[in-house]
Amino acid sequence: MSGLGLYFNEESFNRLFPFYFQLSPDFRILNFGKSLAKVCPDLEKENLFTDFFEIVRPHIKTISLEEIIKNSDQHILLKYSKTELLLRGQFEQTGDSLLFVGSPWFTSMSEVIDRKLTFEDFAHNDALLDLLHVLNNAENTSKELKELLLTINTQKNQLKKDKEELNRLSYVASANKNGVVFTKLDGSIFWCNDAFLALTGYSKSEIIGRTPIELGRTMDTDKEEIKKMIDSFYAGKSFEVELLHARKNSTPFWSRVKAQPITDSQGNAMQYFAMLEDISLKKRYDESLEIEKEKYRGIIANMNLGLLEVDLNDKILMANQSFLDMSGYAIEEMVGHKASGLFLTQESKKILQSKDRLRSEGISDSYEMNVKDKNNEDKTWLISGAPNYDVQGNLIGSIGIHLDITDQKEQEQQLYLLSLIAEKNINAVIICDPSGNIEWANTSFLKMSGYTENEILGKKPGKLLQGADSNNETVTYMSEQIAKGLPFNCELVNYSKNKEKYWVRIQGQALYDKNGVIIKFFAIEEDITAWKVLEEQKENLISDLAKTNKELEDYAQIVSHDLKSPLRSINSLISWIKEENEKDFDEQTMKYFSLIEHKVEKMDHLIEGILTYSKIDKEVSKGENVNTNDIVKGIIDMIHVPEHIKVTINNPLPIIKADRFRIQQLFQNLIGNAVNYIDKESGLVEIACEEFSSHYVFSVADNGVGMAKEIHSKIFETFKAYTTSKHSTGLGLSIVKKIVLFYKGEIWLDSEEGKGTTFFVKLKK
C-alpha cells in the first residue's frame, strides 16, 4: 500500500470508535468517545482509570503499563464499576499513551434501550448491532471490522511519521477474510485485498479502476439498495446495504456491504473504503428461521393459555393474545414495563422473588399467584414458569404459561360458604342430586314447608311445593336454568303441607366436580310473605299518592285559570275607567287606580308563581344539553335592566345536562332579584362559574341592599318576602331552591346589609 494516504480527525475517529478512551502513563483518562460518555455518565477527564474500571479478562494481578502492553494483542474485557457495564476491546500503545478501542457487551436490545442509546451511538460497522439482531456470524465479522478500522484510524494519525503503522493496516486489510476495497471519490477502486478477488472471481487487473457498482450489479439486484449506496457515497456518508452481488462466472451471492468515508482534518471525504461480506449462508438460515418462527408464532398467538416473556429485570418482552385477554392490557401498554409493577400485589411480589431465584438456577415449577388486572380486579392465576435462554445458552429471562383459575377459586370459596350456610342459615336450604331429587334439607326448610325429613327425601321440590298460584313463567325459568347448570334467582309462591300459601325468594346453583360434571344442586329459600304484603300496601299508597298529586296539579291549573280570569277583567275595567274619566279624576284618585293596577299585577305574578312552583318536580326532565352562557345572555336581553345597572358574565359558562325551561327559570329569578334590589347609583350584577371534577358552582353577585344574617336561612321559604319591593311575590327564591333540589344540587348565599348579595348554586355535571 505504498503511497496510500489515510487521514482521520477527532470527529471521524469518534464516528468509527465512539466507545474509545485514551490513558496517560499514570493511568489518567485523557480523552474518551462521545458514546462512552453516555453509558459512563460519571466519567470525566483526569479521572484515575482504576477508580472506574476493572479488567475482568484476562486476569492481571497488578495493573501496569507493561502488563497492558503485554496483553495488547488480545481482547480485553473491562467492567465499569458504577453501572456494571462490560466493555470489550483492545489496548494499543500510541506514543506515551494507551488507546482503548472497543464497544459495550450487550446481550439484548432492551439493554441498549435502557441506556438511551440509538443507532447513531454505534459505529456503522459495529458488530454489536448484528449481534443484537441475532446474526450468528456477526461477532467474528464485527471483531475483524473493528480491528481493521482501529488499524486505519491509528495509521491516520501516524501515517506521515510512522510508515510501519501503514504497513500494519495494509496487512490487516489484506489478511481479512471479508473483501476490502478502497475507492477514489469518483468511485473507482484503487486497492482491494485477496478476499475480494476470491469472492468476486475477478483478477486484480480486472478490478482496479472499475467501480463496485460495475462489478457487483446483476439483473436481480435491488435498485433501491443501489440507489441508497450511490446517494450515501456522493453525500460523503457511511452506509450499509444487503444486496445480490455478481461474480465473474455469473453465479450471484448475497452480500453485506459496509462503507465509510475517510476524511481530512476539515471533515471532507478524501477516499472511501468498503467491506464486502458473503452472507448467502446467513440468508438461507434466516429464511429457514423465519419460517420456523412464523410457525411457532402462530401456535403461541392462538393457544388458549396466556404466555408472557420477561427479561432478567422482569421487563415484559412479549405476550400472546390470550394473556392480553386475561390481563385486560394492550401489548403496547405492557412491553418494556415490569410485570410485577402491572399485576402483582405486595404479597405476590415476595413469592415472585423466590421464583426468580429458581429461574436463575435453571429450575421450572408451577404455582398460584394473586394478581390485579388492568381494571384492578382481583384474579388468581396458575403459572408454569421456566427459565429462558439465548442461542449461546445464556439465561436471558423467563417464560410463563398462565391459566386464569379465578372462577375455580371462587367456586371453592362458595362451596365452603355454602357448607356454613347449610349448617347455620335461618333460611330454608335444600340439596338435590343431579336428577333434582332432594337429598338433604335443613330445619328451617322443614319448618317452613311443614313436611318431615322422610316425606321430602327423594322427591322433587316443585311437586311438593308448587300450586295453583305458582307463576308458570318463573317455574319454566327455574327449570331451564337448572337444565343448563346455571344459577337462578327468583320469587315464587309455594304451598306448605297443609296447603297454606307463602312467598319465597329462591337462590339456587349447580355444583361441579373437577371435570366440570354437575354433582349437586342447592337452593336457599327466604320467606318473604310479610315483605310482599308490605310491598303491595306500598304500591297501593304510591298509586293513591300519584292520583292525589294529579288531582292537586289539575286543581292548581283550574284555580290559576279561574283566578286569572277575573284579574284580567279587573285590569281591563280599570283601564277603561281611567280612559273615560281621565279629566274627571283628581291626582289622588289616579294614584289609587295605579295602586290597584300594581296589586292586580302582583296577584297575577303570585298566581303564575304558584303554578310554576307546583309543576317544577311534576314535569319530566328532558335531559338535553343546555348552554348556560346562551341562557343567561337571553335573560339579560329579555328582562328590564335600568340604565344605571350593568350586568356582566365574568367567564364562559358551561354546557350542562338539564331541562332548558327549568334552568331559565332558575337564572331568571336570581338575575331578576339581583337587578330589582339594587339601590346604588351605579349598579353591578356579575354572573360567574367555577368548574370542579364532579360539579359546577354558579354565582350571581350584586351590590344591592343586601340582607341581614338572621334572615339568610328563611328567604327560601314559600310566600316569605323580606322586602317592601313591589316586585316580590315571596315565590321567586322558593322556585329557585325547588329547581336546585330537583337536580340534587345545593344553594346558599353570602350577603351583608348595604353591601350586596351573592347567591351560589352547585349543580352536578
Side-chain angles (χ1 to χ4, degrees):
M1 295 183 62
S2 177
L4 173 62
L6 301 178
Y7 303 96
F8 290 82
N9 58 14
E10 184 175 346
E11 182 181 348
S12 61
F13 192 86
N14 240 324
R15 282 206 305 273
L16 292 174
F17 307 107
F19 294 97
Y20 83 92
F21 60 80
Q22 188 177 10
L23 300 179
S24 66
D26 59 351
F27 284 90
R28 295 284 175 183
I29 296 174
L30 300 177
N31 203 353
F32 49 88
K34 61 182 179 59
S35 297
L36 186 65
K38 291 181 72 172
V39 296
C40 303
D42 299 327
L43 202 61
E44 294 181 0
K45 291 182 180 181
E46 296 302 321
N47 285 149
L48 192 61
F49 167 76
T50 53
D51 287 345
F52 289 84
F53 292 94
E54 174 187 344
I55 298 177
V56 178
R57 194 176 63 203
H59 179 67
I60 299 176
K61 291 183 178 180
T62 303
I63 297 177
S64 65
L65 189 64
E66 292 77 11
E67 282 293 323
I68 290 179
I69 293 172
K70 186 190 300 181
N71 289 278
S72 62
D73 59 346
Q74 61 177 303
H75 271 81
I76 302 293
L77 186 62
L78 302 180
K79 182 168 74 175
Y80 184 62
S81 58
K82 302 293 183 181
T83 61
E84 300 296 315
L85 172 74
L86 294 177
L87 296 171
R88 60 179 180 178
Q90 197 167 339
F91 278 103
E92 186 68 33
Q93 185 174 13
T94 57
D96 294 335
S97 63
L98 279 175
L99 178 66
F100 177 81
V101 177
S103 62
W105 192 350
F106 295 138
T107 59
S108 68
M109 186 60 75
S110 61
E111 294 183 63
V112 178
I113 295 171
D114 289 343
R115 288 178 168 82
K116 296 182 172 57
L117 295 176
T118 65
F119 179 81
E120 287 75 15
D121 288 308
F122 294 86
H124 294 285
N125 58 302
D126 195 334
L128 180 61
L129 296 177
D130 293 334
L131 177 63
L132 294 173
H133 289 88
V134 201
L135 300 178
N136 291 339
N137 59 350
E139 184 175 353
N140 293 332
T141 301
S142 176
K143 177 180 176 182
E144 292 162 357
L145 181 60
K146 286 193 291 185
E147 290 174 352
L148 172 63
L149 294 180
L150 175 61
T151 306
I152 292 173
N153 196 55
T154 304
Q155 289 198 8
K156 182 241 177 184
N157 294 321
Q158 299 189 14
L159 185 60
K160 294 180 180 179
K161 296 181 180 180
D162 193 351
K163 194 68 173 288
E164 183 181 343
E165 290 298 319
L166 182 59
N167 293 333
R168 180 183 175 189
L169 173 62
S170 175
Y171 172 76
V172 172
S174 299
N176 200 296
K177 68 179 181 180
N178 294 318
V180 177
V181 297
F182 286 85
T183 74
K184 299 177 183 178
L185 291 182
D186 62 0
S188 61
I189 299 171
F190 66 83
W191 186 90
C192 68
N193 68 350
D194 292 339
F196 188 82
L197 302 178
L199 283 171
T200 62
Y202 290 100
S203 65
K204 186 165 291 188
S205 60
E206 291 173 316
I207 289 174
I208 301 301
R210 299 176 70 183
T211 68
I213 300 295
E214 290 180 78
L215 294 169
R217 181 161 47 191
T218 72
M219 293 293 293
D220 298 322
T221 303
D222 191 327
K223 293 180 176 57
E224 289 297 323
E225 292 290 273
I226 292 178
K227 184 178 183 302
K228 177 180 175 182
M229 290 174 60
I230 295 172
D231 291 346
S232 299
F233 182 88
Y234 286 112
K237 297 180 180 178
S238 59
F239 61 85
E240 179 179 334
V241 295
E242 290 187 3
L243 44 76
L244 203 61
H245 198 287
R247 283 194 179 96
K248 184 179 179 180
N249 63 6
S250 301
T251 58
F253 65 96
W254 273 100
S255 66
R256 180 186 291 114
V257 180
K258 299 179 182 179
Q260 177 83 29
I262 301 173
T263 59
D264 59 18
S265 57
Q266 282 76 43
N268 300 315
M270 298 174 59
Q271 300 167 350
Y272 253 89
F273 82 88
M275 178 175 287
L276 180 70
E277 178 188 356
D278 185 349
I279 60 169
S280 300
L281 183 62
K282 173 197 166 297
K283 274 288 184 181
R284 289 195 295 271
Y285 169 79
D286 284 351
E287 290 172 1
S288 300
L289 182 62
E290 192 59 35
I291 292 172
E292 291 299 312
K293 287 169 67 176
E294 190 61 33
K295 181 174 70 175
Y296 288 110
R297 190 180 293 119
I299 294 172
I300 290 171
N302 296 306
M303 65 189 298
N304 292 326
L305 299 174
L307 184 141
L308 185 71
E309 180 182 353
V310 299
D311 63 14
L312 293 173
N313 295 317
D314 191 37
K315 288 189 177 179
I316 297 171
L317 302 176
M318 188 274 288
N320 70 347
Q321 187 58 47
S322 293
F323 188 87
L324 301 181
D325 296 339
M326 286 171 55
S327 65
Y329 286 93
I331 187 66
E332 56 270 16
E333 294 176 307
M334 294 197 303
V335 172
H337 294 275
K338 288 194 172 185
S340 57
L342 290 178
F343 310 116
L344 301 189
T345 62
Q346 286 299 121
E347 181 181 351
S348 297
K349 287 179 181 179
K350 295 178 182 178
I351 298 174
L352 186 64
Q353 289 174 358
S354 65
K355 301 304 174 183
D356 286 341
R357 287 193 294 270
L358 292 177
R359 301 297 168 266
S360 65
E361 298 170 5
I363 299 174
S364 303
D365 71 337
S366 298
Y367 52 94
E368 292 182 7
M369 186 82 81
N370 294 324
V371 300
K372 298 273 189 181
D373 65 8
K374 183 180 178 181
N375 298 323
N376 204 34
E377 293 182 2
D378 293 320
K379 299 288 183 181
T380 303
W381 291 348
L382 178 62
I383 304 173
S384 295
N388 190 20
Y389 302 94
D390 62 14
V391 292
Q392 285 80 32
N394 300 313
L395 181 67
I396 58 173
S398 60
I399 294 177
I401 303 296
H402 299 70
L403 175 64
D404 190 342
I405 59 171
T406 306
D407 293 341
Q408 293 91 319
K409 296 296 287 187
E410 289 178 354
Q411 193 173 67
E412 290 177 7
Q413 182 67 19
Q414 288 172 359
L415 289 174
Y416 172 72
L417 293 175
L418 285 173
S419 68
L420 295 179
I421 292 170
E423 182 180 355
K424 304 291 185 181
N425 205 305
I426 61 173
N427 294 320
V429 179
I430 58 173
I431 297 177
C432 299
D433 63 21
S435 299
N437 300 313
I438 299 174
E439 287 187 340
W440 180 88
N442 68 352
T443 305
S444 296
F445 179 84
L446 300 176
K447 183 177 180 181
M448 188 184 300
S449 66
Y451 289 98
T452 65
E453 185 176 356
N454 290 333
E455 290 173 325
I456 65 171
L457 292 179
K459 306 290 178 60
K460 295 188 182 296
K463 292 183 178 180
L464 285 174
L465 304 174
Q466 293 162 16
D469 291 338
S470 300
N471 186 277
N472 289 331
E473 291 183 3
T474 304
V475 172
T476 301
Y477 157 75
M478 289 175 57
S479 299
E480 290 176 349
Q481 293 295 98
I482 291 171
K484 296 175 183 177
L486 298 176
F488 55 89
N489 190 337
C490 58
E491 295 177 1
L492 186 68
V493 170
N494 276 351
Y495 290 84
S496 65
K497 181 180 178 180
N498 58 10
K499 303 306 176 183
E500 290 182 2
K501 185 170 65 174
Y502 61 97
W503 276 93
V504 291
R505 181 180 291 117
I506 307 173
Q507 293 179 333
Q509 185 171 330
L511 303 179
Y512 297 83
D513 63 15
K514 292 182 179 180
N515 297 317
V517 177
I518 296 176
I519 55 173
K520 305 284 182 187
F521 288 99
F522 80 90
I524 301 173
E525 297 183 357
E526 178 187 0
D527 189 340
I528 58 170
T529 305
W531 180 81
K532 277 291 184 179
V533 172
L534 291 175
E535 189 178 55
E536 185 177 354
Q537 292 174 352
K538 177 184 174 183
E539 288 178 357
N540 292 335
L541 287 173
I542 291 173
S543 177
D544 293 342
L545 183 60
K547 183 178 178 182
T548 302
N549 284 340
K550 183 65 173 64
E551 291 172 351
L552 288 174
E553 185 179 342
D554 293 342
Y555 179 72
Q557 295 276 5
I558 294 168
V559 169
S560 66
H561 179 271
D562 291 349
L563 289 176
K564 279 189 172 187
S565 182
L567 284 177
R568 292 192 190 100
S569 299
I570 292 171
N571 191 58
S572 298
L573 289 170
I574 292 171
S575 298
W576 295 341
I577 293 171
K578 286 172 65 178
E579 289 175 2
E580 293 175 0
N581 301 279
E582 185 175 359
K583 296 180 180 179
D584 298 332
F585 290 149
D586 58 18
E587 183 179 351
Q588 185 63 36
T589 301
M590 293 300 291
K591 286 184 178 179
Y592 290 151
F593 276 118
S594 295
L595 183 60
I596 293 171
E597 285 178 322
H598 286 313
K599 294 296 184 182
V600 169
E601 181 182 0
K602 186 169 183 178
M603 186 65 179
D604 185 67
H605 289 324
L606 184 60
I607 293 169
E608 187 62 38
I610 292 171
L611 185 60
T612 300
Y613 185 82
S614 68
K615 293 167 69 175
I616 285 173
D617 54 2
K618 304 297 188 300
E619 296 177 350
V620 177
S621 176
K622 295 180 181 178
E624 57 188 314
N625 288 327
V626 178
N627 189 323
T628 56
N629 213 72
D630 293 345
I631 291 287
V632 172
K633 284 182 179 179
I635 291 170
I636 295 171
D637 293 338
M638 180 179 65
I639 66 174
H640 173 65
V641 181
E643 293 183 358
H644 72 286
I645 297 175
K646 182 180 180 182
V647 181
T648 64
I649 301 174
N650 288 354
N651 61 316
L653 305 181
I655 295 175
I656 62 175
K657 201 81 171 177
D659 179 83
R660 181 178 297 276
F661 175 71
R662 286 188 175 93
I663 298 302
Q664 183 168 342
Q665 283 182 313
L666 187 152
F667 282 106
Q668 186 169 332
N669 277 290
L670 289 176
I671 297 171
N673 272 4
V675 170
N676 291 336
Y677 298 123
I678 289 180
D679 58 348
K680 309 293 190 300
E681 292 183 4
S682 178
L684 178 62
V685 177
E686 296 179 293
I687 300 100
C689 180
E690 187 174 357
E691 182 177 2
F692 297 88
S693 60
S694 61
H695 61 275
Y696 298 103
V697 175
F698 296 88
S699 61
V700 179
D702 64 65
N703 62 342
V705 297
M707 288 178 278
K709 290 190 180 298
E710 54 267 22
I711 67 169
H712 285 191
S713 60
K714 302 176 183 179
I715 61 170
F716 297 108
E717 296 177 9
T718 310
F719 299 115
K720 293 293 179 69
Y722 294 92
T723 176
T724 58
S725 170
K726 64 182 180 180
H727 302 288
S728 177
T729 64
L731 279 171
L733 289 177
S734 299
I735 291 172
V736 168
K737 184 166 184 179
K738 197 168 186 182
I739 293 171
V740 171
L741 294 178
F742 178 79
Y743 286 111
K744 295 180 174 57
E746 299 177 30
I747 184 169
W748 69 95
L749 72 152
D750 183 13
S751 182
E752 187 175 346
E753 287 186 284
K755 291 187 178 181
T757 302
T758 301
F759 281 92
F760 298 94
V761 175
K762 176 183 175 182
L763 295 176
K764 294 180 180 179
K765 287 187 174 180

